[in-house]
Amino acid sequence: MTRLEQKTVENLPKVELHCHLDGSVSKKTLRNIANEQGYELPENEEALCTLVEAGEGCQSLLEYIGKFETVLDCLQVESALEEVAYELTGDVAKENVTYIEVRFAPMLSTRKGLSAERVIQSVVEGLKKGERDFGVKSNGILCMMRGHQEKDNLEIVELTKEFLGQGIVGIDLAGDEANYPPKEYKKIIKLAVEYDLPITLHAGECGCATNVQDSVDLGATRIGHGIALKDDPEILNYCISKGITVEICPNSNLQTKTVDKWENYPFEEFQKAGLKLAVSTDNRAVSNTNLTKEFMTLDRLYQIGYKGMEELTLNGIQASFADETTKKILKKQVLESYQLVH
Ligand SMILES: [Zn+2]
């Protein structure tokens, strides 16, 4: 098997399904939006890193989630939301991500009075501008938040319905999984199913395979992380039989201590079982990663080669919430480009 070469991986077309907007604001963009609002950040680069990056020393999902606070403070105005969405598409264009689904929780940007609707419009505007300037096709996914009030999450379901096909393609549930399992959101997700909204849910990020099964039973066709499936062959097989695609985010999974060390990462186990996997970054800034780095990591650990990278990329296209025409174009690009490296 030919090993991956960084430059080639960077140049090959890639797609990303699981990327949080607030976790993917580069330090340069963060300094820009903070400056514009007179928000003070540590001048020292290292101090800023400690504030906004998880790093290897991160001990848990909750500690990881804490790294979003500074950025969120700066994401309460329309101009900043539009700017970070725009800059993100510029960042991913540099490593030839041809399609990205960017997820964000509108309610987290309403602390200073902005309406959730305006939050969505601002992000979609930034993504559209990015598409025009950098050629990256993108769509948004709205996140409901674990621990938020039911009425707020219900509003997100309504807004996903309202914006569906207008820059938004699906709905997610994010946040503290251990304390707020998916079954508590049954009523809300049922409404999303009634509206026929594409659903991907964060589950199996904190050791509980039952949460993955519950999420699938509630109507998710994709699962964010799903790592806990490694401990439950029965639920793993259930997901395979249902055709579920799991969005794995290797470096993030290590930082949140979803797995304690690479030796216990279930990539090969999942592959062998026949579970459909797609690779994402989760949070480019908080996890200090990009898609090239994630593929290089998988090649270093499991020698996936270009064949494996192509397969994972095609899985991503297949499971994406993009329309069929877009999927066809993306697939054609991938098949043509990867042919040259096999
Ligand atoms: Zn995530």
Side-chain angles (χ1 to χ4, degrees):
M1 180 79 79
T2 317
R3 299 297 296 273
L4 298 186
E5 200 264 320
Q6 167 129 358
K7 202 75 213 142
T8 312
V9 174
E10 241 167 55
N11 290 332
L12 283 166
K14 293 173 284 295
V15 302
E16 176 160 19
L17 303 185
H18 191 128
C19 180
H20 293 263
L21 181 66
D22 52 358
S24 301
V25 179
S26 72
K27 287 195 278 294
K28 182 170 160 262
T29 308
L30 175 59
R31 286 208 184 274
N32 282 345
I33 58 170
N35 267 343
E36 282 157 15
Q37 299 173 51
Y39 184 92
E40 249 179 75
L41 290 175
E43 269 170 40
N44 176 295
E45 204 57 15
E46 213 175 297
L48 184 62
C49 285
T50 312
L51 202 62
V52 300
E53 282 179 13
E56 279 174 20
C58 182
Q59 291 304 312
S60 68
L61 179 58
L62 274 184
E63 185 183 335
Y64 187 91
I65 289 172
K67 299 291 176 181
F68 291 75
E69 277 314 306
T70 305
V71 176
L72 280 173
D73 276 347
C74 298
L75 288 183
Q76 305 299 323
V77 292
E78 291 165 76
S79 57
L81 287 158
E82 187 179 322
E83 190 172 335
V84 295
Y86 176 79
E87 293 296 340
L88 176 57
T89 52
D91 289 343
V92 306
K94 287 183 198 140
E95 57 160 346
N96 201 18
V97 170
T98 50
Y99 175 75
I100 186 166
E101 288 178 2
V102 178
R103 59 186 75 195
F104 59 102
M107 289 303 172
L108 295 179
S109 289
T110 58
R111 293 175 190 168
K112 285 189 181 161
L114 210 58
S115 71
E117 200 162 8
R118 291 301 298 147
V119 174
I120 298 165
Q121 283 163 342
S122 306
V123 173
V124 168
E125 191 53 38
L127 292 177
K128 271 192 200 153
K129 273 193 191 157
E131 191 170 328
R132 280 199 298 272
D133 288 359
F134 307 115
V136 178
K137 178 92 188 137
S138 61
N139 278 310
I141 291 176
L142 301 186
C143 297
M144 302 181 283
M145 290 305 296
R146 299 187 139 105
H148 277 198
Q149 287 181 31
E150 188 173 90
K151 70 168 181 46
D152 286 346
N153 284 329
L154 280 171
E155 191 180 334
I156 296 304
V157 176
E158 296 295 341
L159 285 166
T160 307
K161 182 182 171 222
E162 191 183 319
F163 281 90
L164 200 69
Q166 295 175 67
I168 299 300
V169 287
I171 193 164
D172 173 31
L173 174 65
D176 175 8
E177 181 190 346
N179 290 309
Y180 301 95
K183 59 175 188 293
E184 287 182 19
Y185 298 88
K186 201 171 178 175
K187 177 181 152 195
I188 301 170
I189 298 169
K190 196 164 167 256
L191 184 65
V193 171
E194 265 169 42
Y195 288 162
D196 219 8
L197 304 176
I199 302 171
T200 175
L201 300 175
H202 279 76
E205 199 180 5
C206 59
C208 182
T210 311
N211 283 350
V212 181
Q213 168 144 20
D214 288 346
S215 299
V216 171
D217 288 340
L218 288 172
T221 58
R222 284 173 16 197
I223 293 293
H225 305 297
I227 298 301
L229 289 172
K230 74 185 175 68
D231 305 316
D232 198 317
E234 212 168 293
I235 301 180
L236 173 64
N237 283 327
Y238 179 69
C239 289
I240 295 166
S241 73
K242 288 270 186 181
I244 299 299
T245 297
V246 172
E247 309 152 357
I248 55 164
C249 311
N251 283 293
S252 160
N253 295 154
L254 258 281
Q255 290 162 349
T256 55
K257 298 290 173 286
T258 301
V259 288
D260 55 351
K261 49 186 176 185
W262 285 119
E263 289 78 44
N264 295 330
Y265 200 65
F267 179 77
E268 278 183 317
E269 192 183 326
F270 286 173
Q271 290 272 76
K272 271 185 203 142
L275 182 66
K276 275 192 226 154
L277 302 177
V279 182
S280 289
T281 64
D282 204 13
N283 298 287
R284 289 169 171 260
V286 174
S287 284
N288 188 20
T289 189
N290 60 28
L291 212 43
T292 302
K293 193 169 161 184
E294 297 297 332
F295 278 117
M296 293 304 289
T297 301
L298 290 177
D299 192 56
R300 177 170 58 81
L301 295 166
Y302 313 109
Q303 295 82 47
I304 60 168
Y306 292 106
K307 196 79 213 150
M309 185 182 163
E310 181 181 22
E311 206 178 283
L312 292 161
T313 305
L314 290 172
N315 285 348
I317 295 170
Q318 176 74 36
S320 81
F321 295 150
D323 60 66
E324 288 306 317
T325 313
T326 304
K327 284 189 188 189
K328 252 188 212 159
I329 295 168
L330 294 169
K331 190 175 171 188
K332 189 163 173 271
Q333 276 174 343
V334 167
L335 292 175
E336 283 171 4
S337 307
Y338 283 69
Q339 207 176 35
L340 304 172
V341 292
H342 288 321

